[in-house]
Amino acid sequence: MKRMKYILLIGAVGLFTNACNKVLDVEAKGSYTSGNYWRNESDAVDGISGIYTLFLKEDYLGFVEYTYDNCSDDQYHAGDHPEDDLIEKFTFDASNPSLKLPWKWKYETINRADNALIYIPKITNIDPDVKNRCLGEAYFLRAFAYWRLALVYGEVPLVSEADVLAGNYNNPKSSVDSVHAQIESDLLKAADLLPEAYSAGRVNKGSAWGLLAKLYLYEDNLDKAIEFGTKVTTNTNYALAPTYAANFVAATSNNSEMLLNVQTTDGWGYSDFTTYHGPREWGGWNFFQPVKGLVDEFEAGDPRKDVCIMKPGDQIDIGTGIATYTASLSTTGYHYGKFTNWKSSGGLNYSLKYPLLRSADIYLVVAEAKIRKSGAGAGDAEINAIRKRASASLTPVSGAGMTALMHERRVELCGENERHQDLMRWDRAGLVNIVSIYGQPKLGSDGQVIEAARTFTKPRNYYFPLPQSEIDRSKGVLIQNSNYTN
């Protein structure tokens, strides 16, 4: 099937979905297919823009992907979605909406990238540097979609350019190793084709190197994780922002540290991400609330705590005045402050860009790989770079082992959809006991239990089940994760 399965101009003219997920009612300007769209440089650039816009989808990175970290020991699902409660308790099944909804947007990302990789090489009236950049972006964005699929489900179908040309979309699962190999191949190509620096929100070499480092760490390929992570940590194009807070203020949330973030813009490109994290009384929807265990993890004097966490007694500028945060605003007594800004005129500020991959993460990837390879102290330089940026008053680490590394990742990346995956990676490596960690109740700010002890079953819960609706649609081609067939 050679027609394109989406409207490429969606990224160029800003036809984004609103809070109710309804497309703006506009007059169609033409009918585009793969045969008549990919004509020139403008088409190529706009076609790539059409891939990035999928990040705004509420059922993808705008909300649902972050429900998976409710499994962790850092946050409580809150909100009013019963399916999120099932995810948190590990009592979900394959019909859970949170497992089904993002699936289609990941494969739509892959489909759009496949089309770009098929047709952009055929465009002749295009600057060679622009062509390479567009192809590099397509490779990276396809790799990112497969990365999220592999983390969540493990074995998933691969859909290649050849499959698109032949109309083969109903493919069986590939092994985790095969999916990882595809991600690696795409990221290596992306790193070759992309520029070292590019405009805000667009990926570059550092984005590809950083995601490669994470991929290799998850594969226990420590040498490669260090090699590619160091390409990020030693390149000034990807320097840490001058302050931790700069990453979470609308005016400065596009900066060199952001290897990949979502370009949501107040009044134009809209994402519900901020809405979900804000207190209901202040314009938000009251989901994703930190728990006491996470709040207590911050050291005394660590300014990241005040950036990350809204807690009782805090004075918050909500645009229309200074409001006092009280425990009654949430179930746990806390909210993530790092994901909520307010406009001076009042109302949530949707120009806050939210991170999908930061250089700080890669510093800690390198530190972990060095510690696991060479022992305590090998990652001190990278950990201390993160701590020094947070505050000069934080005591530098010396001879840091995995306990210190785990602490630093927990506070630096809190709420950024990393904790559950970190704990599973460390459990697989025999570094933590995830069953014991998740066997502890989650507490609110008052010390009361807000989520009872949960049961993490190994190896079953290392991955989620494939969406039952996709299995049904495949008519026997797609086979369920074997841990969920009984």
Side-chain angles (χ1 to χ4, degrees):
M1 183 167 65
K2 297 185 180 181
R3 65 181 181 85
M4 296 192 323
K5 299 179 71 180
Y6 61 94
I7 303 171
L8 281 161
L9 294 184
I10 201 167
V13 300
L15 305 184
F16 296 100
T17 57
N18 63 17
C20 297
N21 238 16
K22 296 177 182 177
V23 178
L24 295 175
D25 185 13
V26 297
E27 180 184 355
K29 300 300 182 183
S31 177
Y32 292 98
T33 69
S34 54
N36 67 17
Y37 179 78
W38 302 96
R39 303 158 299 178
N40 51 45
E41 182 174 305
S42 178
D43 286 354
V45 172
D46 288 345
I48 297 299
S49 295
I51 309 176
Y52 284 101
T53 59
L54 295 175
F55 287 174
L56 296 172
K57 295 292 184 181
E58 180 179 3
D59 290 340
Y60 186 20
L61 295 169
F63 167 59
V64 178
E65 280 284 290
Y66 286 79
T67 65
Y68 305 143
D69 212 42
N70 291 332
C71 294
S72 80
D73 56 343
D74 276 359
Q75 68 188 31
Y76 176 66
H77 70 275
D80 56 0
H81 292 184
E83 62 268 26
D84 298 345
D85 180 54
L86 299 176
I87 293 285
E88 187 164 7
K89 287 182 167 68
F90 300 105
T91 56
F92 51 80
D93 61 27
S95 66
N96 190 291
S98 292
L99 303 180
K100 175 181 70 174
L101 294 171
W103 175 280
K104 70 176 180 179
W105 296 120
K106 294 168 191 171
Y107 276 103
E108 180 66 8
T109 299
I110 292 163
N111 180 65
R112 296 187 185 196
D114 282 341
N115 273 280
L117 293 170
I118 291 168
Y119 293 103
I120 288 176
K122 300 177 181 179
I123 299 174
T124 56
N125 53 336
I126 183 173
D127 182 276
D129 289 340
V130 174
K131 176 182 280 191
N132 285 340
R133 188 191 72 207
C134 288
L135 291 171
E137 288 176 281
Y139 279 119
F140 178 92
L141 293 167
R142 184 169 71 175
F144 180 78
Y146 279 129
W147 168 248
R148 289 304 309 168
L149 284 163
L151 284 180
V152 174
Y153 307 104
E155 297 178 339
V156 295
L158 292 171
V159 182
S160 68
E161 300 98 301
D163 288 320
V164 172
L165 289 170
N168 296 329
Y169 294 101
N170 190 19
N171 293 341
K173 292 187 303 184
S174 292
S175 68
V176 173
D177 286 347
S178 295
V179 178
H180 279 201
Q182 181 65 56
I183 296 168
E184 179 186 27
S185 174
D186 280 354
L187 289 175
L188 288 171
K189 291 174 183 175
D192 284 341
L193 292 164
L194 288 166
E196 283 203 10
Y198 189 19
S199 62
R202 299 291 185 133
V203 296
N204 51 44
K205 286 186 185 298
S207 312
W209 291 334
L211 193 52
L212 273 165
K214 293 193 74 165
L215 173 70
Y216 290 132
L217 182 64
Y218 274 76
E219 294 177 337
D220 293 326
N221 189 338
L222 303 180
D223 287 331
K224 285 289 188 181
I226 294 167
E227 175 188 347
F228 282 91
T230 302
K231 290 177 182 288
V232 173
T233 62
T234 58
N235 191 314
T236 57
N237 284 302
Y238 320 118
L240 298 173
T243 65
Y244 183 77
N247 291 304
F248 307 106
V249 176
T252 55
S253 53
N254 275 330
N255 58 63
S256 57
E257 183 172 343
M258 292 295 178
L259 301 178
L260 180 64
N261 62 3
V262 178
Q263 294 297 296
T264 181
T265 304
D266 200 88
W268 188 68
Y270 176 88
S271 170
D272 281 316
F273 183 83
T274 289
T275 319
Y276 277 102
H277 282 86
R280 188 172 294 276
E281 291 82 350
W282 298 348
W285 289 340
N286 231 23
F287 287 68
F288 303 130
Q289 296 172 7
V291 299
K292 191 174 187 295
L294 171 59
V295 178
D296 290 348
E297 182 76 15
F298 288 89
E299 299 162 64
D302 188 340
R304 289 175 292 189
K305 182 176 182 178
D306 288 335
V307 174
C308 290
I309 309 295
M310 285 190 279
K311 52 197 179 300
D314 284 354
Q315 301 294 296
I316 310 294
D317 185 353
I318 60 173
T320 54
I322 303 298
T324 300
Y325 187 87
T326 64
S328 62
L329 290 170
S330 74
T331 304
T332 69
Y334 307 109
H335 277 89
Y336 285 117
K338 67 195 293 186
F339 299 135
T340 48
N341 287 188
W342 283 268
K343 294 177 289 187
S344 59
S345 58
L348 289 164
N349 189 341
Y350 292 99
S351 290
L352 175 65
K353 281 55 175 177
Y354 55 94
L356 301 177
L357 185 65
R358 292 196 284 124
S359 295
D361 184 355
I362 308 309
Y363 273 80
L364 297 175
V365 164
V366 173
E368 179 177 337
K370 286 184 174 181
I371 292 168
R372 289 173 60 183
K373 177 186 177 184
S374 302
D380 284 1
E382 288 77 17
I383 296 174
N384 283 328
I386 298 301
R387 292 175 65 80
K388 183 178 180 181
R389 189 275 297 274
S391 173
S393 66
L394 286 178
T395 304
V397 299
S398 179
M402 283 300 299
T403 299
L405 182 280
M406 291 174 186
H407 162 79
E408 209 62 40
R409 282 193 67 83
R410 191 177 188 187
V411 297
E412 175 70 24
L413 302 171
C414 74
E416 296 182 38
N417 205 16
E418 295 290 334
R419 177 65 174 175
H420 179 54
Q421 293 296 334
D422 279 349
L423 287 171
M424 290 196 294
R425 181 177 73 254
W426 296 328
D427 184 83
R428 288 182 177 110
L431 300 169
V432 300
N433 183 344
I434 197 171
V435 174
S436 176
I437 293 171
Y438 287 176
Q440 301 299 312
K442 297 181 183 181
L443 307 180
S445 60
D446 59 1
Q448 298 301 303
V449 173
I450 51 95
E451 182 67 68
R454 300 161 299 139
T455 300
F456 184 97
T457 303
K458 297 192 292 187
R460 175 186 173 93
N461 293 136
Y462 283 144
Y463 295 113
F464 290 96
L466 304 185
Q468 187 61 47
S469 58
E470 297 299 326
I471 292 173
D472 295 342
R473 187 175 292 115
S474 77
K475 303 205 181 290
V477 173
L478 192 58
I479 304 300
Q480 183 58 272
N481 177 336
S482 59
N483 289 310
Y484 292 92
T485 56
N486 297 325

